[in-house]
Amino acid sequence: MNSPKNSLRKPTFPATLDLSLGRGAANGLGVPNTVTRILPKKPAATAAVNSVLKTLPTKTAPVQTSGLGLDSSKVRATMVRKLEAQGIQDVRVLTAMNTVPRHQYVDTALANQAYEDTSLPIGWGQTISKPNVVARMMSLLFENKTAPYGRVLEIGTGCGYQAALLSQMANEVYSIERIRGLYEKAQANVRPFAIANLRLLLGDGMLGYPKGAPYFGIIAAAGGDAIPQSWIDQLAVGGRIVAPVENNRLQNKPSNGTNEQSLVVIDKSATGIKRTVLELVQFVPLKSGIG
Ligand code: SAH
C-alpha cells in the first residue's frame, strides 16, 4: 500500500508547521445524532504558504495556458492565497492545489473561471465543487494525520480534479464514478499527467470498493441520506470518512427533498465510531447504481 515509489512523489514540508485544521472538531463532539456546527479556523500559516508558493515547482505535466489567456501558475497561486485567507491552513492541501491545474479539468469554455471560488458544471448534470470546499474536505481528511497516508477512496470522480489532488497527498487513490461519460472524461483529463498512484473505477460508490479496503480515508463528493455502512466497514481502524449527508436525516427527520446537507466526519477507532457534524454544504445527490 505504501510503496516507496509513491512516497517519492509526496512533497516534503517544514517539520515545525502546525498542519492541524479545525481541531475543535475532535473536542468530544460527534455523539450520534447530535448536530454540531464548527466554524473553520482563521488563517495563521501565511509564512508557510508564501514559502510554498515561492519554492514549489509544478509536479504535473507542463501547464498549457492556451484557452486560459493568462499564466495559469500565477492565477493558481492567487487562488491558493485566497484559500489561505479563508482559513485553509494545511500546507499539504495548499501545495496540491497550487500544483494541479484546475483549468485542465473543466471544459475549455469555463477555463477562465477555473480559479475563481465557484462550482462549475462538468456535464451530465453534475458539478465540480468550489475550491474552498474541496480544500476544506481534504484538510479534514488529512487532519492530525502524518505520513505514510495509505490508500484513499473517493466517491464521485466527476472530472477527476479532486482525485488528482488526492493523489498528490495519499500514497494511493481509488476514485469511483457511477456515470460512464464522466468516468471516461476523467480518464481523458488525467491521462496527460500519467498519475501513477491514481486508479479510476466505474461503479456504484455506495457499495464502496471492497477490493481496495481497508482505506486510510474515504471522501465523498455527493451527498446521501446517510453514510453507507459499506464505507464504514471498508474504513481502516484509525481512518476517517468525510462526506456530505442530508441534513434532515441527520436530525432523524424525514427527507424534505431540498438536498440541504451538512459535512459529516466519521472517525473509526478500535473502540467504535465517532460522528461529527460540521457546516452546511451543497453537493449533488449520491445515487445508487450505474447510470
Ligand atoms: N470530485 C469531483 C466532483 C464530482 S460531483 C470532481 O473533482 O470533479 C460528484 C460526482 O459524484 C458526480 O459525478 C456523480 O455522478 C457522482 N456520484 C453520485 N453518486 C455516486 C455513486 N453512488 N457512486 C459513484 N459516483 C457517484
Side-chain angles (χ1 to χ4, degrees), residues 50-272:
N50 281 337
S51 74
V52 164
L53 295 177
K54 269 195 220 123
T55 57
L56 274 171
T58 51
K59 293 172 71 211
T60 50
V63 169
Q64 291 146 28
T65 51
S66 60
L68 193 60
L70 29 78
D71 178 350
S72 80
S73 64
K74 283 191 184 147
V75 250
R76 200 156 49 248
T78 303
M79 173 188 79
V80 170
R81 286 204 176 88
K82 276 190 198 149
L83 290 172
E84 199 265 337
Q86 290 166 343
I88 302 300
Q89 296 184 326
D90 191 322
V91 176
R92 298 166 297 188
V93 171
L94 294 169
T95 301
M97 299 200 65
N98 194 46
T99 304
V100 176
R102 192 171 188 255
H103 70 282
Q104 288 185 284
Y105 287 83
V106 298
D107 290 344
T108 316
L110 298 171
N112 60 353
Q113 292 175 56
Y115 297 104
E116 290 170 20
D117 198 23
T118 179
S119 56
L120 293 171
I122 53 174
W124 290 269
Q126 308 301 314
T127 51
I128 178 175
S129 303
K130 56 184 191 172
N132 180 279
V133 173
V134 172
R136 165 79 169 140
M137 288 181 75
M138 291 197 304
S139 300
L140 286 167
L141 192 70
F142 290 89
E143 186 180 34
N144 298 330
K145 300 279 199 274
T146 49
Y149 302 117
R151 185 180 290 160
V152 165
L153 176 66
E154 180 192 33
I155 316 294
T157 313
C159 67
Y161 173 65
Q162 182 168 270
L165 290 170
L166 289 166
S167 71
Q168 293 276 319
M169 291 181 279
N171 276 356
E172 250 187 307
V173 178
Y174 285 25
S175 180
I176 187 160
E177 171 57 55
R178 64 179 289 280
I179 298 176
R180 183 179 292 275
L182 277 171
Y183 161 73
E184 287 167 356
K185 185 178 202 164
Q187 276 185 322
N189 283 343
V190 301
R191 195 168 293 125
F193 303 109
I195 306 172
N197 62 336
L198 172 60
R199 192 158 158 211
L200 300 183
L201 305 155
L202 175 66
D204 180 359
M206 284 185 80
L207 309 173
Y209 186 68
K211 281 189 195 157
Y215 296 100
F216 153 88
I218 299 177
I219 187 164
D225 59 6
I227 302 275
Q229 185 60 40
S230 59
W231 300 359
I232 295 171
D233 293 343
Q234 291 168 31
L235 188 66
V237 170
R240 177 173 267 199
I241 298 172
V242 182
V245 177
E246 194 187 326
N247 227 8
N248 271 11
R249 300 300 300 129
L250 283 169
Q251 298 172 62
N252 287 333
K253 292 184 199 158
S255 175
N256 64 359
T258 60
N259 211 28
E260 188 176 88
Q261 302 145 344
S262 290
L263 213 47
V264 171
V265 165
I266 300 278
D267 287 306
K268 185 170 179 176
S269 69
T271 52

